[in-house]
Amino acid sequence: MISIPLTNNSPLSHTISYSVSPLFELAASLHTLAQLSPPARFNNWSQELLAQFKEARLSNDWEYFLPLFRYGIPDSFDPVITRGVMSVDDQYEYFVTLPSDDFVRRLQPLLKKWNQHHDIPSVAFDIEEDADYVKGRFSLFVSSYWQLFFEANWEAIAPSFVREAEQIHHVLNDLPACLDYLNKISFGITYDSEENRLLCPYEGPDYEVQQLVLYPSHFYASEPLLSKGGAGAHLLYSFS
């Protein structure tokens, strides 16, 4: 269980906040694209994008990196880590300064999942031989994908994030409305009136944190994910 104390007579916005990472959304879109059967609302989008990859000659790179996205989203795109990475230049700087050892370590769990169902992919052999080469090629692919396809997609879905942010700000004016909203996002969040704190179900040791950060996602389609990082709890969830 993660507990989050609320400060008496202080606005809920001092404890609960909202954030979004375009780079995480980009990675979540690639995770969706890598599925054999994507969620129904993404079927047409996936088919159209794969056709556009062929026209832009990105299909080979996509097939090369697909094993890194089929069974999850690489930790390098974690929205907590990448929340300040906004532009193409930011992305380039982020991957350039990311140590190759960290880059590889964050890919290993996804490669292991791939290897349970498929032959070892070329990218896995190349990581063993030259991790810097793979990281450079990966950065170039992500940048190309952003500039050719995802940037326009991001601009199209940005208004929905604005509406979600407005709704969050609205419910933070009232505790019952806030609790109702949080339970729509992730069932099981409760309020302990005696201790004046939020209680969030969590698979792991009990923690007390000072902040709850909400990360709504358009492309993330899995169950809500609650994680702990620093002095806060971070709740990633899908909205449409």
Side-chain angles (χ1 to χ4, degrees):
M1 187 74 70
I2 290 180
S3 63
I4 308 164
L6 304 178
T7 305
N8 290 325
N9 302 320
S10 292
L12 286 170
S13 59
H14 286 187
T15 302
I16 302 173
S17 60
Y18 151 95
S19 184
V20 63
S21 164
L23 189 55
F24 174 80
E25 285 301 302
L26 177 149
S29 75
L30 291 174
H31 172 62
T32 299
L33 192 66
Q35 302 311 302
L36 294 174
S37 298
R41 66 190 178 103
F42 292 119
N43 272 335
N44 291 338
W45 172 84
S46 296
Q47 293 173 12
E48 292 172 3
L49 191 57
L50 289 174
Q52 292 170 4
F53 272 13
K54 290 183 179 180
E55 295 176 5
R57 298 183 179 179
L58 275 183
S59 293
N60 288 341
D61 279 334
W62 171 234
E63 292 297 327
Y64 180 77
F65 288 117
L66 185 150
L68 305 181
F69 290 95
R70 170 66 59 79
Y71 295 103
I73 299 171
D75 287 345
S76 298
F77 295 94
D78 188 314
V80 180
I81 299 172
T82 60
R83 61 189 299 179
V85 181
M86 304 298 290
S87 67
V88 172
D89 289 341
D90 292 337
Q91 293 173 35
Y92 178 78
E93 178 69 17
Y94 173 72
F95 282 111
V96 165
T97 57
L98 180 66
S100 295
D101 289 347
D102 286 351
F103 173 76
V104 170
R105 176 176 53 80
R106 293 170 180 176
L107 296 178
Q108 291 302 336
L110 299 178
L111 285 172
K112 287 180 180 178
K113 290 180 180 179
W114 174 272
N115 293 341
Q116 291 172 2
H117 305 279
H118 312 275
D119 292 337
I120 298 175
S122 297
V123 65
F125 291 112
D126 289 345
I127 284 174
E128 293 291 331
E129 293 294 325
D130 192 344
D132 289 336
Y133 161 77
V134 175
K135 191 183 79 163
R137 184 175 174 181
F138 185 83
S139 177
L140 181 60
F141 169 73
V142 168
S143 296
S144 298
Y145 174 60
W146 174 276
Q147 294 180 66
L148 293 174
F149 305 107
F150 190 77
E151 186 172 24
N153 205 327
W154 173 250
E155 291 175 356
I157 64 177
S160 64
F161 283 92
V162 173
R163 291 191 294 271
E164 183 73 4
E166 290 173 346
Q167 191 165 4
I168 291 171
H169 287 307
H170 176 72
V171 301
L172 291 181
N173 292 320
D174 178 68
L175 180 57
C178 179
L179 290 172
D180 182 61
Y181 192 73
L182 290 175
N183 268 282
K184 289 179 181 177
I185 292 173
S186 180
F187 181 75
I189 298 178
T190 59
Y191 173 64
D192 182 342
S193 58
E194 292 185 2
E195 298 290 336
N196 191 30
R197 63 179 60 224
L198 296 175
L199 300 175
C200 307
Y202 179 69
E203 294 184 3
D206 291 343
Y207 291 104
E208 179 179 295
V209 298
Q210 303 305 309
Q211 297 286 325
L212 174 62
V213 186
L214 305 178
Y215 293 88
S217 174
H218 175 80
F219 281 103
Y220 179 76
S222 300
E223 292 298 314
L225 178 64
L226 183 69
S227 61
K228 178 186 173 295
H234 308 272
L235 181 58
L236 174 66
Y237 65 96
S238 173
F239 81 102
S240 59

